Amino acid sequence: MPKYLVKEKSLIGNELFEAGALVDYDGLPAENLEPTCDAGRAKYQEYLESNAARVRAMASANSGEDVDKMLACFQAMPAMISDAIAAAMAQPVKPSSKHSKSADADPLV
């Protein structure tokens, strides 16, 4: 039977396991279980493939667009968001001119 390391507190087969526990599980694991053997890695790959197929089926049923292109876009989003945040944080913050007061500005009445 495949063995997994529990990555976060999880309910597995009607039993609650804390993070760090080693468990035997014969079903398809999700992201909360890290495979520790070849059988577990094979089951995890099966999970990833079935999940991708389910996403393609849902997208196909709800859209006329190229599903593989849409799936690739969703998979690339975390990296794009991370890059955008890193780029924004590298930029110095400049005060907005509309909030700064100049000496020759009209006084507010």
Side-chain angles (χ1 to χ4, degrees):
M1 182 176 295
K3 295 186 183 307
Y4 301 92
L5 174 67
V6 178
K7 293 165 59 175
E8 60 188 56
K9 190 174 189 175
S10 302
L11 182 64
I12 303 166
N14 292 329
E15 191 174 341
L16 191 60
F17 291 92
E18 296 293 329
L22 290 173
V23 297
D24 294 328
Y25 183 61
D26 200 28
L28 290 181
E31 286 82 10
N32 62 324
L33 298 177
E34 182 177 320
T36 61
C37 63
D38 289 340
R41 283 185 278 282
K43 281 285 197 181
Y44 187 72
Q45 188 60 40
E46 185 180 340
Y47 159 74
L48 292 176
E49 291 167 6
S50 71
N51 200 34
R54 188 171 50 252
V55 168
R56 276 195 288 279
M58 287 188 302
S60 178
N62 294 300
S63 171
E65 297 181 25
D66 182 0
V67 176
D68 288 327
K69 189 183 290 184
M70 186 185 316
L71 183 59
C73 181
F74 282 126
Q75 291 170 336
M77 276 186 185
M80 293 182 338
I81 292 169
S82 178
D83 291 346
I85 291 170
M89 292 184 71
Q91 297 295 319
V93 177
K94 297 177 185 171
S96 171
S97 62
K98 76 175 170 179
H99 294 295
S100 62
K101 231 180 180 180
S102 72
D104 55 339
D106 292 333
L108 294 175
V109 180

